[in-house]
Amino acid sequence: MKRTLILVLLLALLFTLTACGGGEKSSPQPPDAAAPAENSDGSAATAPVPEAGSRYVLTYRDCPLPMNAEFAPLLDFLGEPDSYFEAASCAFDGLDKTYTYAGVEIITYPDEERNYISSVCILDSSVSTPEGITIGSTQEDVAAAYGEDFQEFGTQYVYEDGDAQLSILFENGAAIYVEYTALNDLLG
C-alpha cells in the first residue's frame, strides 16, 4: 500500500511537471552555467550567502540554498550541473529549470529576468541536512533533529518555518525522500 501511495505521488509530480508542455529542453548543462567559481589567485571562491527566510536551509558543497533565493550567484559558485532540464512554467511567464548535481536536485522558478529556488531535493545518502538527516534516516532521527512540531500526512513529516517547508517521506520507518520547498505568495 505504501509503495502504491509513493508511486501515485511520484506519478502525480511527474504529470504536473510535464503537463505544462511546450518548450521542454534537456541538455547536459544550462546555457548560463559556469565552472566552479575561483578567486583571481586560482583559489576556491567563498560561496555567496543569500538571506534566508527560514531556519530550513540545505547547504550543498559549502553553498547555502535558501528557498526563494536568487539562483544565478549560487549557480556561478556551484558550477556546471550533472544534468539540466527546463520547461515552460505552469505558474509563471518563463521557464522552470531543474539542475541536478551529485546527490541533490535544485528547481527554480522565473520572476521577470531572474530565477529563484523553489525546491531542493536530496537524492541519496551522500547529502544530508545541516542537522544530519538524509535518505535512510529513521523517523526517530528526524524527530530528534527537528522536534515533534510537524504535520503528519500518512508516512510524511512536514515542518514549516518562514518561507520554507521541509518534507520527509518514510517507508518502513526510514526516510526515502527529503525535500525543501519554497513558500511564498507567487507559489501559493
Side-chain angles (χ1 to χ4, degrees), residues 2-129:
K2 290 180 184 177
R3 289 181 191 232
T4 304
L5 176 62
I6 292 168
L7 181 59
V8 169
L9 290 172
L10 290 174
L11 288 173
L13 177 63
L14 179 63
F15 177 75
T16 301
L17 292 174
T18 60
C20 299
E24 291 97 10
K25 295 180 183 177
S26 183
S27 66
Q29 71 179 42
D32 52 352
E38 293 183 349
N39 292 319
S40 59
D41 65 1
S43 63
T46 303
V49 181
E51 185 175 327
S54 172
R55 69 178 179 252
Y56 301 129
V57 176
L58 181 69
T59 297
Y60 179 71
R61 295 183 181 166
D62 297 323
C63 183
L65 301 169
M67 296 301 98
N68 299 302
E70 183 180 354
F71 188 59
L74 305 174
L75 177 61
D76 287 344
F77 178 79
L78 292 172
E80 182 179 323
D82 296 335
S83 69
Y84 171 77
F85 175 81
E86 61 186 35
S89 179
C90 294
F92 305 97
D93 290 330
L95 299 172
D96 290 332
K97 299 176 180 180
T98 303
Y99 303 83
T100 305
Y101 293 90
V104 72
E105 177 181 79
I106 303 163
I107 299 176
T108 66
Y109 64 91
D111 187 21
E112 297 182 14
E113 297 296 317
R114 296 183 177 163
N115 294 295
Y116 299 88
I117 299 175
S118 64
S119 72
V120 177
C121 181
I122 294 175
L123 302 175
D124 60 41
S125 62
S126 70
V127 176
S128 64
T129 70

